[in-house]
Amino acid sequence: MAKPTVAYLWARTVTCKNCRATVPLLKTRWLCKKANKRVLLTMELKKDKTGVVFGVEEMFPESWQYGAEAGARQAHRPRHNV
């Protein structure tokens, strides 16, 4: 059974100069940053390079890594210099 939609995320999009995929412009990919739970929006490039597929990654204190916040902000940039 699918979970109900609780929010929508709106973002402007641009075309990547390298692969021509349509990618969103986001200031942050964090959906939740509470003391005991963090939720990150993930993006994977589609195989046909027409855009991205979104996902959600939940992290709890035992799985946090040093520098995860900086890594989350930079995850898409090395592949797409927009």
Side-chain angles (χ1 to χ4, degrees):
M1 178 179 226
K3 293 182 180 181
T5 302
V6 294
Y8 290 94
L9 181 63
W10 181 89
R12 292 184 185 267
T13 58
V14 295
T15 302
C16 175
K17 294 177 184 177
N18 296 328
C19 70
R20 309 305 299 163
T22 302
V23 293
L25 294 175
L26 299 171
K27 185 175 182 178
T28 181
R29 295 189 305 141
W30 289 112
L31 301 176
C32 175
K33 281 185 76 173
K34 294 184 179 179
N36 61 347
K37 179 181 178 183
R38 293 188 178 189
V39 181
L40 181 67
L41 180 68
T42 60
M43 293 184 284
E44 295 287 330
L45 185 62
K46 288 182 181 180
K47 291 182 182 182
D48 61 359
K49 296 185 178 181
T50 59
V52 293
V53 177
F54 294 98
V56 176
E57 180 181 336
E58 293 186 50
M59 294 181 278
F60 298 96
E62 62 272 3
S63 67
W64 291 356
Q65 297 176 357
Y66 178 75
E69 184 175 329
R73 282 184 270 143
Q74 301 295 330
H76 193 71
R77 289 187 186 160
R79 291 178 280 162
H80 293 90
N81 298 324
V82 181

